Amino acid sequence: MASKKLSSARPPGENKKRPDWDNYFLDIVELVSKRSTCLRRAVGAGLVRDSRILATGYNGAPSKLQHCLDIGCLREQLKVPSGERHELCRGLHAEQNAIIQAALHGVITKGATLYCTNHPCVICAKMIINAGVVSIVIRDGYQDKLAAQMLKEAGISVKQL
């Protein structure tokens, strides 16, 4: 049986522009963030090792609980400013959910890179440190100086694209 040559949409010799790995994974966590159920901010995160996705997470209420999309935002009702009083929230952060999903499914996070749409808060930073994550790549900043200081002290590099 003779093989057919497939025609290309691009002229021969024209290079296809592929995203580098960091932008590729940041684009993926941007898509993951669209599953967020938070009314204030949509965040996506992913743990990656050896260019393979280990787990992803987005911010929202724990499994089996009602979402803020459905019942409203406790933080809004209490007028809690962003970045303060994290315990006054029904939701988990995207980074927390990614780490929890890895643990739930028996996936080792040691040596992974965390890709996230935003810089982690201090609570997430502590979890990231203890999960053995070695580097973080983010798209947007977040004003949490203590988180940045702790990550630096732990030797975890943070790169913003």
Side-chain angles (χ1 to χ4, degrees):
M1 184 177 215
S3 65
K4 292 183 180 181
K5 187 174 181 180
L6 298 174
S7 64
S8 172
R10 284 182 295 285
E14 185 179 320
N15 289 336
K16 176 182 175 183
K17 182 161 171 52
R18 296 174 64 199
D20 60 46
W21 286 113
D22 285 343
N23 280 296
Y24 172 73
F25 290 120
L26 282 175
D27 288 348
I28 289 171
V29 298
E30 188 73 38
L31 180 61
V32 170
S33 76
K34 294 179 188 300
R35 292 280 305 153
S36 169
T37 60
C38 179
L39 297 171
R40 284 188 165 190
R41 181 186 308 226
V43 180
L47 291 164
V48 174
R49 189 176 50 244
D50 298 327
S51 300
R52 301 292 178 260
I53 297 170
L54 304 175
T56 63
Y58 53 87
N59 55 329
S63 298
K64 302 179 185 169
L65 297 187
Q66 289 184 301
H67 298 290
C68 298
L69 286 174
D70 302 323
I71 63 170
C73 175
L74 176 63
R75 293 174 63 79
E76 287 292 325
Q77 294 163 9
L78 298 175
K79 303 198 182 333
V80 178
S82 178
E84 297 179 15
R85 305 291 312 268
H86 296 284
E87 75 279 9
L88 295 176
C89 181
R90 291 179 58 81
L92 291 160
H93 289 186
E95 304 93 322
Q96 294 168 341
N97 269 327
I99 291 168
I100 290 166
Q101 285 300 307
L104 183 66
H105 297 285
V107 177
I108 296 168
T109 58
K110 186 176 183 180
T113 295
L114 176 82
Y115 288 86
C116 195
T117 55
N118 296 82
H119 191 286
C121 73
V122 68
I123 295 169
C124 291
K126 291 184 275 188
M127 290 180 70
I128 290 162
I129 292 165
N130 277 0
V133 171
V134 295
S135 62
I136 300 172
V137 182
I138 62 170
R139 207 154 261 152
D140 295 317
Y142 182 79
Q143 296 301 321
D144 194 327
K145 292 177 182 170
L146 182 56
Q149 177 187 344
M150 291 178 84
L151 292 167
K152 182 177 181 180
E153 183 180 339
I156 298 173
S157 66
V158 179
K159 178 168 61 170
Q160 183 173 356
L161 299 185

